[in-house]
Amino acid sequence: RVAHLEQQRNRLEATLSPQLVTAFSKLDTEAALRLVAMFRSMERGGQLTKYYHKWVRAGLLQRWPAIVSEGEGESAKVWIGQFYTELLASLREHHVWVSQVFPGEEPGHLLAQLVAAVLASLEPSLEFCLEAAAKLCTSELDLLVDVKTSTDSFATNLFDLLVGASESDLKEVGKVVYKPFRGPISRYGELEAKALISEVTSWNTGGKDTIEEIHSLVGCVARLG
């Protein structure tokens, strides 16, 4: 009887799973609440967050290559900035929705795991995009500063949504958010030296009167600071 009951549960789960996926994908609160109650009634509540993560993650991941494709000719910092903006908007919507559909779960915990999985699975990866962009720009350091500024803004807004997440969840999110900068940080001295050499070689003080020379030197020293 136990084996037969488990077999029937498996069949029912297989029948309801497509409906659950559709409800999660469309953020259909009414359908999701009904299906969540059914899964819990047949002791399959533990599968709910797995379905949620799997299908919501898949939907969010699809947006990144679309942004890259649509923004062909734009810089990587534009792509990354746009993706972060859209991702935050989606996460805010999901934060409210998760609170309604999974009242027993901590929204910050679910979203922390979700965003970590999304950022770790982007294709092409953010590291690849930064490396490719660095080869095309005149100053890799300026590019990294711009992207770091965008990333800091994203992280600040993101962590406001992760209240209630565990310390380990937050550490994992922090690691994946700033992972694209690991390589450049290891070459920071080289990048600073390259930028300084470029700055110095651009100085041109010839053919000016004394006062112009002084103003030029003051400006150069300020940029070095």
Side-chain angles (χ1 to χ4, degrees), residues 193-205 220 223:
K194 185 178 179 180
L196 181 58
I197 291 172
S198 177
E199 179 66 35
V200 170
T201 55
S202 70
W203 296 347
N204 181 11
T205 60
C220 293
R223 287 196 292 273

Side-chain angles (χ1 to χ4, degrees), residues 119-135:
L119 293 178
S121 306
L122 293 178
E123 187 61 41
S125 67
L126 296 183
E127 293 95 322
F128 176 84
C129 289
L130 277 180
E131 290 173 5
K135 296 176 182 178

Side-chain angles (χ1 to χ4, degrees), residues 40 45-46 48-49 98-99 101-110 113:
R40 286 176 173 168
L48 293 170
T49 54
V98 164
S99 300
V101 176
F102 302 119
E105 299 285 346
E106 179 57 62
H109 171 67
L110 290 180
Q113 293 186 330

